[in-house]
Amino acid sequence: MEEGIKLHIHNVSKIYHSDGNEVAAIDEIDLKIRNKEFATILGPSGCGKSTLLRIVAGLIKPTRGVVRLDGNVISGPGQDRGMVFQSYTLFPWLTVKENIQFGLEISGMPKVKQEEIAQEFVEKVGLEGFERTYPKGLSGGMKQRVAIARALANNPAILLLDEPFGALDAQTRALMQELLTQVWEELHKTILFVTHDVEEAIFLSDRVFIMTARPGKIKAEIDITLERPRSYELKSTEAFLNLKKQALTLIREEAIKATQRKG
């Protein structure tokens, strides 16, 4: 593995078969994600962003190509990857703290250590006082805080997030973006994030990879050199707006191409 590279997605393609037809979801994607980097995959709807992330998670196998994490080929799910989905995936019969402890318990960690780590992440995501609350008593944003805390508590080599804030209202989404960037700045975990929200991608990331319309390829890479730590006020600065315009132009080109192909 090249020095400083945490994840290498090497010439990965995925073809689905349906009713005798082949549908190419992604085509020859080659990406190198650096250690402790916050990288985001951005692209139009249906471009294969989530397919790519699920291949990295080991949930589906690529048709061609290989993915390596710390030099090791990914062939299935593993504890070295934490995954957070858009839909709420908490266990309804477990409390906030029990949900966060779940993976630690499965790994056989002593109970006292489990509780210590779970409480640490309860505090990191701002859920003090809700340790004994069940998911039905939480808002959408709070549920995603638990999901992120649960994934991070297992100390994965990389955190994968598949549009985790997509179901939230605009105000809650903005707050969750600030929370995630604060947690990242504290822990410096390698993160691969998928979104269709341009503003979100720029605010969170070190680098943004723009995908083409299906079959998804990497169209462009944008370095986000905005200073950290970041706060909501950053979104109104000229530097931020210029990056947003650049990304929107690239996305719009792909949306137009997709519309023309359908026509």
Side-chain angles (χ1 to χ4, degrees):
M1 196 76 163
E2 187 178 330
E3 187 177 355
I5 300 301
K6 189 73 171 177
L7 179 76
H8 186 187
I9 301 167
H10 183 57
N11 293 337
V12 166
S13 300
K14 179 63 180 178
I15 297 172
Y16 291 102
H17 295 86
S18 177
D19 298 326
N21 297 316
E22 288 190 349
V23 178
I26 55 176
D27 186 35
E28 294 189 354
I29 289 182
D30 199 288
L31 288 181
K32 292 178 180 178
I33 308 302
R34 304 177 190 120
N35 188 36
K36 299 182 180 181
E37 180 176 33
F38 197 125
T40 295
I41 306 292
L42 178 66
S45 180
C47 72
K49 302 184 298 295
S50 293
T51 294
L52 179 60
L53 201 69
R54 287 168 183 264
I55 288 173
V56 175
L59 299 175
I60 57 178
K61 294 185 181 298
T63 305
R64 292 187 299 273
V66 66
V67 181
R68 289 186 173 87
L69 179 62
D70 288 326
N72 301 311
V73 174
I74 291 173
S75 57
Q79 290 187 336
D80 54 355
R81 282 147 286 148
M83 185 83 180
V84 180
F85 299 93
Q86 178 176 333
S87 57
Y88 309 129
T89 55
L90 304 183
F91 299 113
W93 59 89
L94 299 180
T95 65
V96 163
K97 196 169 180 181
E98 289 168 345
N99 262 286
I100 295 171
Q101 286 178 222
F102 183 79
L104 305 176
E105 184 176 354
I106 294 297
S107 70
M109 181 180 288
K111 191 75 171 178
V112 172
K113 188 64 175 176
Q114 288 179 38
E115 293 184 355
E116 179 184 320
I117 291 174
Q119 187 60 40
E120 175 189 346
F121 280 93
V122 162
E123 293 168 9
K124 283 188 190 304
V125 299
L127 286 174
E128 302 98 318
F130 292 91
E131 289 89 342
R132 297 184 180 182
T133 304
Y134 289 92
K136 66 180 181 181
L138 303 176
S139 67
M142 294 169 79
K143 289 176 183 176
Q144 285 302 61
R145 289 181 188 218
V146 178
I148 291 168
R150 181 175 63 187
L152 287 170
N154 293 310
N155 194 27
I158 189 169
L159 181 62
L160 309 172
L161 299 107
D162 189 5
E163 302 206 47
F165 310 142
L168 305 177
D169 63 82
Q171 184 177 359
T172 304
R173 185 169 189 152
L175 291 171
M176 289 299 295
Q177 291 165 7
E178 287 191 274
L179 171 74
L180 183 58
T181 193
Q182 288 164 9
V183 170
W184 179 84
E185 284 160 8
E186 181 179 349
L187 299 176
H188 286 287
K189 278 286 178 188
T190 307
I191 291 180
L192 185 58
F193 189 96
V194 160
T195 184
H196 64 271
D197 187 303
V198 173
E199 195 171 272
E200 180 170 81
I202 294 168
F203 180 73
L204 292 171
S205 308
D206 296 315
R207 279 193 298 166
V208 174
F209 297 96
I210 309 286
M211 287 183 69
T212 66
R214 193 176 67 193
K217 300 173 181 279
I218 300 301
K219 177 184 178 74
E221 172 188 330
I222 302 175
D223 282 316
I224 310 298
T225 56
L226 301 170
E227 289 186 6
R228 294 184 185 273
R230 296 175 184 171
S231 62
Y232 189 76
E233 291 79 7
L234 178 69
K235 295 181 179 182
S236 60
T237 64
E238 183 178 358
F240 186 94
L241 293 173
N242 286 339
L243 287 166
K244 181 178 177 181
K245 181 179 179 181
Q246 181 183 353
L248 281 170
T249 299
L250 292 165
I251 294 290
R252 186 171 182 273
E253 288 173 358
E254 291 309 309
I256 290 171
K257 287 178 186 177
T259 302
Q260 289 173 341
R261 281 202 293 266
K262 287 179 182 177

